[in-house]
Amino acid sequence: MLPVPTDLFVVFRRTWSHLSGFGPLIGLILLCVTGTLLNPDFATLDNLMNVLTRTAFIGIIAVGMTFVIMSGGIDLSVGSMAALIAGCVIPVYESLHRKSPGRRGVGGRCSRWCWAHCLVPCMAC
């Protein structure tokens, strides 16, 4: 014979069924709390903006893939295209940031343009 569920068991089961959909959110909150306890600089606005800036590229690709999958198609070339574009853009970005001896040259103008129009700080200067 199976044991008869007690009131506590029923309450736990209902609570777990409501919280099971929030598993990833609870995990994210636990990771953030752990990161803050280990390093107080983790929960700063600068770090949050840095994380959002670094992951925006992946987020844009994920939104695009969501639309492709919702429309009934599937496209596996997104990752390879992202790698190809990054591989082509990096040499161009580096060539614009080459410095002449004693002055900034084109790199300074490119850096100011990136900051003014894209809010992206120059990482090569």
Side-chain angles (χ1 to χ4, degrees):
M1 270 192 116
L2 293 172
V4 178
T6 61
D7 290 335
L8 183 61
F9 180 75
V10 172
V11 169
F12 175 75
R13 190 94 189 232
R14 286 183 187 158
T15 305
W16 182 256
S17 68
H18 291 300
L19 290 178
S20 64
F22 294 105
L25 180 64
I26 293 171
L28 178 65
I29 291 170
L30 287 174
L31 281 174
C32 290
V33 168
T34 304
T36 304
L37 291 174
L38 293 175
N39 185 358
D41 291 333
F42 180 79
T44 60
L45 183 61
D46 288 338
N47 188 40
L48 177 65
M49 293 304 294
N50 188 20
V51 169
L52 290 176
T53 302
R54 303 289 181 232
T55 58
F57 179 69
I58 296 170
I60 291 169
I61 291 174
V63 169
M65 277 303 295
T66 301
F67 287 126
V68 168
I69 292 171
M70 283 177 20
S71 68
I74 188 153
D75 185 11
L76 299 177
S77 67
V78 173
S80 60
M81 287 303 293
L84 176 69
I85 290 169
C88 292
V89 167
I90 288 172
V92 172
Y93 188 75
E94 286 179 351
S95 70
L96 291 174
H97 279 77
R98 289 208 177 104
K99 298 178 188 174
S100 301
R103 62 187 183 98
R104 291 197 117 179
V106 177
R109 287 193 299 264
C110 179
S111 174
R112 286 190 297 273
W113 185 88
C114 287
W115 182 251
H117 296 287
C118 305
L119 294 177
V120 176
C122 176
M123 298 189 216
C125 298

